[in-house]
Amino acid sequence: RMETRAQAEETTPLVSIIIVNFNYARFLPAAIDSALEQSYTPVEIIVVDDGSTDNSREAISSYGNKVSAIFKPNGGQPSAFNAGFRASHGSIVMFLDADDVLLPNAVEEVVRAWRPGVAKVQFVLSNIDAEGRALRGTVPYSPAQMREGDIRASILDAGGYIGVPTSGNAFARIVLDRLLPLPESQWRRAADTSLEIIAPFLGDVVSLRKT
């Protein structure tokens, strides 16, 4: 029998990868390529250029309809997050910094770990140089210390938790619907920090500690 749209979304949810860029044309193709080369489908890729003055526009346009491009005046990271999220449709949303790359199985691993009630999945980032070569060390430094489940009490007790920056997180759309749009005048930078701190109060955290 034919699978309903709801059933398909439950087993193979659409994942949105939102790449936020400002004057990172030299790194941007590697970020976009890494999103296009994911082993999982379905994925939509949205590239938000936040008023770059380098040749980012040309780099993004060269991908044609493989990505959805948003070109906007410079407004800072929160405005780029807001614009990308407004254009997205996925039930799981990942923000990828333009100078980072995803391993080919990153989205597949996130979806495999997902379950009802999850607010976000976080995974370990490895350090790379400007040419994409592996360096020593990971973020966080000690992946074993990444908490998971209901971590609200530990956040309130410690004022935070060991997590990862922007590119190492995947958020439930229903969570971001409550957190976005961010107030753009207050958050010119570090927009990801507010999402990472508040999301665990809206559901469980899953930590993928593999390096």
Side-chain angles (χ1 to χ4, degrees):
R1 70 185 189 279
M2 289 185 65
E3 190 176 36
T4 68
R5 193 170 181 176
Q7 288 170 327
E9 174 63 20
E10 199 171 300
T11 54
T12 53
L14 174 63
V15 178
S16 300
I17 301 175
I18 300 170
I19 301 173
V20 175
N21 176 72
F22 176 66
N23 285 344
Y24 270 171
R26 63 194 186 280
F27 302 123
L28 189 54
I32 296 175
D33 289 344
S34 78
L36 287 168
E37 292 163 4
Q38 288 301 302
S39 58
Y40 175 87
T41 56
V43 168
E44 68 170 2
I45 301 162
I46 298 165
V47 185
V48 183
D49 185 74
D50 191 37
S52 292
T53 55
D54 61 4
N55 62 334
S56 291
R57 180 181 284 266
E58 290 79 5
I60 296 166
S61 298
S62 71
Y63 285 89
N65 61 8
K66 292 180 182 177
V67 304
S68 296
I70 298 173
F71 299 103
K72 58 182 288 301
N74 182 255
Q77 191 184 36
S79 71
F81 274 30
N82 292 342
F85 183 65
R86 274 195 305 270
S88 71
H89 305 90
S91 58
I92 299 172
V93 179
M94 303 170 70
F95 293 100
L96 177 63
D97 285 336
D99 59 340
D100 290 336
V101 295
L102 294 171
L103 291 176
N105 64 339
V107 173
E108 184 179 343
E109 295 279 343
V110 164
V111 173
R112 184 180 295 136
W114 207 272
R115 62 175 189 269
V118 166
K120 77 161 200 164
V121 170
Q122 59 180 7
F123 50 92
V124 179
L125 299 177
S126 298
N127 295 318
I128 56 175
D129 67 14
E131 277 71 52
R133 293 181 296 243
L135 300 171
R136 295 180 64 181
T138 60
V139 181
Y141 176 74
S142 178
Q145 293 183 314
M146 295 165 70
R147 309 275 308 253
E148 64 177 4
D150 182 349
I151 65 170
R152 290 175 295 177
S154 61
I155 293 174
L156 292 171
D157 183 52
Y161 64 100
I162 293 176
V164 275
T166 310
S167 301
N169 297 278
F171 296 94
R173 181 174 204 87
I174 56 172
V175 168
L176 293 182
D177 275 333
R178 297 178 63 180
L179 300 182
L180 297 177
L182 289 167
E184 297 176 8
S185 60
Q186 293 178 30
W187 292 90
R188 284 288 299 180
R189 301 180 64 182
D192 56 311
T193 304
S194 61
L195 303 182
E196 289 153 23
I197 288 293
I198 301 171
F201 288 90
L202 301 174
D204 286 346
V205 173
V206 173
S207 294
L208 304 179
R209 301 184 180 94
K210 286 194 296 184
T211 57

